[in-house]
Amino acid sequence: MAAVLQPSSSLPTARLRLAPRGAVSLRVAGAWWPRSHYLIAELPSLISALPEEWGKIATVTVNTQMWAEAPGRILVGHHVVRLRRESVWQRRHTVGLFEPDHDRRDLLVVPPELAAADAEYLMAAVAAYGL
């Protein structure tokens, strides 16, 4: 069963910092600081905040240790996003975003409980230098 979530103006803006276009990053394309560990509540604002050139996100891969339970797919905007939860995910603090043709971008996930000053510093560093 898919959960139906429509991005709306009532959703908080995603706390997201992306590396500049054309920047070379070996592992991540930026950093995302969600407000909670509830993926189903956080994904719509993240996906809505992504640049148009990233295309339509079809699949999101996350580590099971970082996120609360979520259904296998959700409706974001007008398309279904498949959620893959893996317990043996190589990078625990990343989220993998896949387009339908399997192009992939990873974002570092800053833990929601991190202090604001530390989170902002980490996000700025990741966006500027990658990992």
Side-chain angles (χ1 to χ4, degrees), residues 99-123:
E99 292 179 59
D101 60 0
H102 302 290
D103 282 348
R104 173 188 183 149
R105 289 187 175 89
D106 289 336
L107 296 175
L108 177 78
V109 179
V110 177
E113 59 276 1
L114 197 62
D118 294 334
E120 289 294 336
Y121 176 80
L122 180 58
M123 291 174 58

Side-chain angles (χ1 to χ4, degrees), residues 61-76:
T61 303
V62 297
N63 184 286
T64 57
Q65 296 175 359
M66 184 157 190
W67 299 99
E69 285 297 317
R73 51 195 173 149
I74 62 173
L75 185 62
V76 177

Side-chain angles (χ1 to χ4, degrees), residues 11-128:
L11 288 176
T13 303
R15 300 183 291 188
L16 179 65
R17 296 283 297 267
L18 299 176
R21 289 182 192 171
V24 176
S25 175
L26 298 177
R27 297 195 181 143
V28 296
W32 172 44
W33 184 25
R35 290 173 170 76
S36 73
H37 289 282
Y38 296 99
L39 192 58
I40 195 167
E42 299 294 337
L43 268 182
S45 62
L46 170 63
I47 291 173
S48 297
L50 295 174
E52 193 171 298
E53 63 266 14
W54 281 33
K56 184 188 302 184
I57 302 301
T59 304
V60 175
T61 303
V62 297
N63 184 286
T64 57
Q65 296 175 359
M66 184 157 190
W67 299 99
E69 285 297 317
R73 51 195 173 149
I74 62 173
L75 185 62
V76 177
H78 298 289
H79 72 278
V80 174
V81 176
R82 181 173 174 238
L83 302 178
R84 283 195 337 221
R85 297 170 49 86
E86 298 180 356
S87 59
V88 190
W89 183 240
Q90 295 174 351
R91 291 169 276 179
R92 180 176 177 212
H93 291 285
T94 61
V95 59
L97 305 167
F98 295 83
E99 292 179 59
D101 60 0
H102 302 290
D103 282 348
R104 173 188 183 149
R105 289 187 175 89
D106 289 336
L107 296 175
L108 177 78
V109 179
V110 177
E113 59 276 1
L114 197 62
D118 294 334
E120 289 294 336
Y121 176 80
L122 180 58
M123 291 174 58
V126 168

